Amino acid sequence: MRVSENIYNMHIDDGAPSHPGGSNNFFVGDPKKEMVLIDTGDYQREWTKSILDYYTDLGSPRIIGILITHGHSDHIGGLDRLQEKFKCPVFCHPELSGKLKMLLGDQEAVKNLSHFQKLSVADIELQVLFTPGHEIDHVCYYLKSDSVMFTGDSVLGASSTSVRHLSSYLSSLKLIASYPHETVCPAHGPVVPPPRGSGLVEWQLNHRLKREEQILDVLRKGFSTASTITSEIYPRDLSDNLRFTAQRNVETHLEKLVEDDVLSQEESVYYFTGS
Ligand SMILES: [Zn+2]
């Protein structure tokens, strides 16, 4: 599907429960000149084949680079096959380059990105934004000409993402919200077009900030463990799987509040610092 003048999306319903709304691999640029590919899907051969079939449908353009959003397996699974096919450099966060060099067995092919770097493809420019939070090696790409933010797994199209480090995640959302865009191209879930696309990142940011307020309220009422806080905030009838994710989410907030010195922790009990 063509998303905008310079963006083509190979959408795949990969069926992973953690990817509601399927997954996306984006070809960016001009199929008649040159393009880059953002992410390479998971290990399954069918996924790689879908990317290659889509590439053939585009007219087998020259691929001048593969850009990686982060090192989770559903983003680098098909990398070795696709890099072998395209014979192009692979660009990633410096934290990820060692792993990719091992994976490809090729020191030269992997290039470190830098924060705010601009990459030219055909007549357009993609801006690199380091956006740790979901993972430390996460990168978003901004395409000003098409008013599009490629959010990787930082902001998804149909669900909220998992967060490893909440403070960095919130700073990253603030950063990407500050680059004006109308469309969000996430790695999972549907592409979010205007008008909702322009407010989605900020919505996610506010959603997380509200959750923090909610957790503080529940702590003030005397609930003091991740488990009791989760039961108080989320519906009681959550499936075990969702409950696990919900509690993990609460724990991420509690860890941040301890880092911020708002809370102190003794084993599984949290209390307001100084109280
Ligand atoms: Zn992912």
Side-chain angles (χ1 to χ4, degrees):
M1 185 190 87
R2 192 169 184 179
V3 175
S4 65
E5 194 183 342
N6 298 290
I7 301 171
Y8 299 78
N9 179 17
M10 197 294 291
H11 181 82
I12 183 165
D13 285 313
D14 54 302
S18 55
H19 303 157
S23 298
N24 307 304
N25 294 99
F26 297 100
F27 286 93
V28 183
D30 182 345
K32 293 197 172 62
K33 291 182 184 157
E34 57 187 25
M35 305 191 89
V36 291
L37 170 65
I38 300 182
D39 283 343
T40 59
D42 217 326
Y43 294 108
Q44 298 89 334
R45 287 191 175 272
E46 306 89 86
W47 194 330
T48 309
K49 186 176 179 306
S50 301
I51 294 175
L52 287 171
D53 287 348
Y54 195 87
Y55 167 77
T56 308
D57 288 346
L58 283 173
S60 306
R62 190 159 79 94
I63 301 296
I64 59 166
I66 294 172
L67 314 185
I68 300 295
T69 61
H70 64 296
H72 286 170
S73 62
D74 55 324
H75 299 258
I76 62 168
L79 180 62
D80 49 349
R81 296 179 209 133
L82 291 166
Q83 198 270 338
E84 197 181 312
K85 162 83 181 171
F86 298 144
K87 308 239 181 311
C88 65
V90 175
F91 297 89
C92 67
H93 193 287
E95 290 279 348
L96 179 60
S97 57
K99 181 176 175 181
L100 297 190
K101 281 174 186 169
M102 294 246 290
L103 182 90
L104 295 174
D106 181 348
Q107 300 285 320
E108 300 303 309
V110 181
K111 312 284 180 205
N112 278 339
L113 292 167
S114 56
H115 197 20
F116 302 123
Q117 183 180 347
K118 288 182 175 168
L119 300 165
S120 296
V121 46
D123 302 322
I124 54 173
E125 240 174 19
L126 276 163
Q127 177 151 22
V128 171
L129 299 169
F130 283 4
T131 44
H134 171 73
E135 264 310 331
I136 193 164
D137 59 7
H138 197 284
V139 181
C140 290
Y141 300 93
Y142 177 50
L143 184 59
K144 189 176 177 194
S145 63
D146 294 31
S147 196
V148 169
M149 185 64 75
F150 294 96
T151 54
D153 277 9
S154 288
V155 172
L156 306 182
S159 56
S160 60
T161 192
S162 64
V163 173
R164 183 156 297 230
H165 190 259
L166 189 58
S167 294
S168 358
Y169 181 68
L170 297 177
S171 308
S172 294
L173 290 188
K174 276 181 205 152
L175 177 72
I176 55 178
S178 74
Y179 286 79
H181 58 272
E182 289 167 6
T183 299
V184 168
C185 285
H188 307 293
V191 166
V192 184
R196 213 163 66 82
S198 54
L200 184 64
V201 176
E202 210 149 12
W203 186 90
Q204 282 289 346
L205 176 62
N206 288 331
H207 171 74
R208 300 276 172 170
L209 294 174
K210 267 189 215 144
R211 183 65 85 202
E212 180 168 298
E213 276 310 312
Q214 214 179 1
I215 289 170
L216 287 169
D217 280 345
V218 170
L219 277 155
R220 281 185 205 106
K221 283 191 208 156
F223 297 92
S224 60
T225 65
S227 155
T228 55
I229 292 169
T230 307
S231 304
E232 196 58 20
I233 290 180
Y234 288 89
R236 306 255 161 178
D237 54 355
L238 283 186
S239 69
D240 283 354
N241 204 353
L242 286 178
R243 205 194 139 75
F244 178 82
T245 312
Q247 182 162 331
R248 182 66 209 115
N249 185 16
V250 167
E251 282 162 359
T252 316
H253 277 280
L254 293 169
E255 282 158 21
K256 171 183 176 287
L257 289 164
V258 170
E259 273 176 36
D260 293 350
D261 208 24
V262 173
L263 297 180
S264 301
Q265 177 185 9
E266 237 166 75
E267 299 195 354
S268 63
V269 174
Y270 294 84
Y271 55 93
F272 285 97
T273 301
S275 70

